[in-house]
Amino acid sequence: MKNTSIKIAALSKGDYGFWLNLWQSYLTFYDTQLPSSTTQNTWHSLLDSNVPIYGFGAWQDDKLVGITHVVLHPNTWNTTECCYLEDLYVNEQVRGQGVGRVLIEKVYEFARSKNCNRVYWTTQEGNTTARKLYDAIATQTDMVQYRKNL
């Protein structure tokens, strides 16, 4: 169910503290740690218009509750770029309220605006809660990859 109180916007410089909190929670969810230099590079890439990496945030009651990062890239199977949904994280307190779906729908809209031929992503096989959503809005490939042709 889509929550109409969710606002999606491109991440901007002033969002850093909010983003960093969710980014660290995302890394914890996947039981990983990254050097602070990688985190800083990721943040700067999200804001650099010369780098084909983009970030969007989901805001609810003026609080950042979800993030997604996408990478646009050429491919050998088509003449237009692909959109790789690399990261998606929703704050545990608001899961099940449609935030993930709205973020992915924003990615679809963004990819269409960039004339991409598809959006795709991967997830851990055991991420069953997220996979229920993914199964509803994309097609699972035999490589455990989700794809939405555009």
Side-chain angles (χ1 to χ4, degrees), residues 71-84 107-120 145-150:
V71 179
L72 303 187
H73 66 86
N75 65 97
T76 60
W77 289 41
N78 208 298
T79 58
T80 58
E81 291 185 312
C82 294
C83 179
Y84 175 48
V107 171
Y108 288 168
E109 176 188 308
F110 174 75
R112 282 187 190 100
S113 77
K114 297 293 190 179
N115 195 34
C116 293
N117 61 74
R118 67 181 174 265
V119 173
Y120 72 100
Q145 178 192 87
Y146 289 85
R147 177 182 291 184
K148 169 89 173 166
N149 293 326
L150 304 175

Side-chain angles (χ1 to χ4, degrees), residues 37-94:
S37 60
T38 300
T39 293
Q40 291 303 311
N41 185 69
T42 297
W43 178 249
H44 291 297
S45 294
L46 292 169
L47 301 179
D48 187 342
S49 61
N50 294 313
V51 178
I53 299 175
Y54 304 87
F56 300 98
W59 298 86
Q60 194 172 46
D61 300 323
D62 296 324
K63 182 178 179 186
L64 186 64
V65 295
I67 56 172
T68 188
H69 306 145
V70 299
V71 179
L72 303 187
H73 66 86
N75 65 97
T76 60
W77 289 41
N78 208 298
T79 58
T80 58
E81 291 185 312
C82 294
C83 179
Y84 175 48
L85 194 164
E86 188 163 15
D87 306 305
L88 176 68
Y89 183 78
V90 174
N91 183 304
E92 291 177 11
Q93 296 173 349
V94 298

